[in-house]
Amino acid sequence: MPKCLIMLDNSNVFIEGKKFSAKNKGVQRAEGDTRDPQDPSWRVDFGTLLVHMANGREVLDAILVGSKPPQNDSVWTSAKQKGFKVLTYDRSFSGEEKEVDTEIATQAAEVILLNRDEPGVVVLGSGDRDFMPTVRLAHRYNWTVEMCAFSSAFNPAGDMALAVEKIRTLDDVFDQIGRHDFDWPTK
């Protein structure tokens, strides 16, 4: 069985998981709001997510990339304890995420090239089309690519979905890869 490289875009999985949770709870958009509601009580269980993404394969590396959280946030500590190498970056002055997708692509390229004589599987925790260059690089070196993402995070007929060898939606394992830390919505 080939080894795998796990690359996780934390904000993609976390935000889409919060949207999925709100939808499952029947929460509707507020009148006039154009954004999908997000369940603030939902949290990722990084250990279970890592096991799911590995899918029984030996893990070459598991890298989680995201934006720096507040000082008192324990998210990254938890991810590190569960087996992820965590890389974080400051947001822009206007609060936008910066460097995250580029870091994921760079880290993946490094592992692919260092292991080009033993191609494996890149398991990408994101449905973001920005990772198409990573998919193409993996394919040039005979790696296969799997996408693990919530179905709301990608277009099933889009470039990314059509380029990868396998799509494993996180919708199917939502209850295993996360938990609710408090009751929401309150009535």
Side-chain angles (χ1 to χ4, degrees):
M1 183 178 285
K3 295 178 183 177
C4 68
L5 165 64
I6 296 175
M7 303 301 304
L8 181 60
D9 180 344
N10 182 67
S11 62
N12 185 284
V13 171
F14 183 53
I15 290 168
E16 294 302 325
K18 293 191 318 180
K19 288 179 185 178
F20 187 85
S21 181
K23 184 178 176 182
N24 276 0
K25 291 180 176 183
V27 177
Q28 303 291 319
R29 281 186 189 164
E31 190 174 322
D33 198 347
T34 58
R35 298 169 297 166
D36 290 329
Q38 297 182 28
D39 179 351
S41 74
W42 191 76
R43 299 291 181 265
V44 177
D45 179 326
F46 290 105
T48 305
L49 179 59
L50 180 60
V51 168
H52 172 72
M53 292 177 77
N55 199 25
R57 294 173 289 226
E58 182 181 340
V59 176
L60 276 170
D61 212 345
I63 302 168
L64 178 149
V65 185
S67 296
K68 286 186 180 171
Q71 290 293 334
N72 61 349
D73 197 324
S74 63
V75 169
W76 305 130
T77 302
S78 173
K80 286 176 189 173
Q81 290 171 343
K82 300 298 183 180
F84 281 97
K85 177 166 88 176
V86 175
L87 304 170
T88 60
Y89 294 92
D90 291 323
R91 290 183 177 272
S92 72
F93 183 72
S94 61
E96 295 175 9
E97 217 172 49
K98 292 294 177 190
E99 299 185 56
V100 172
D101 290 358
T102 304
E103 185 65 52
I104 291 169
T106 302
Q107 291 287 325
E110 183 175 34
V111 173
I112 290 165
L113 292 172
L114 288 173
N115 294 280
R116 65 179 162 253
D117 294 334
E118 285 188 64
V121 179
V122 176
V123 183
L124 185 58
S126 176
D128 194 332
R129 189 172 152 239
D130 286 344
F131 299 113
M132 283 299 299
T134 304
V135 173
R136 288 190 291 269
L137 176 76
H139 289 159
R140 275 196 305 272
Y141 288 94
N142 299 312
W143 284 63
T144 58
V145 182
E146 294 179 2
M147 180 173 58
C148 284
F150 284 99
S151 59
S152 58
F154 66 93
N155 176 350
D159 291 343
M160 185 70 171
L162 297 175
V164 300
E165 282 75 22
K166 189 173 194 176
I167 298 171
R168 294 190 290 140
T169 65
L170 297 176
D171 307 29
D172 302 333
V173 292
F174 174 75
D175 291 328
Q176 289 85 48
I177 65 163
R179 67 182 185 283
H180 294 93
D181 279 357
F182 53 89
D183 290 334
W184 182 87
T186 56
K187 298 183 185 209

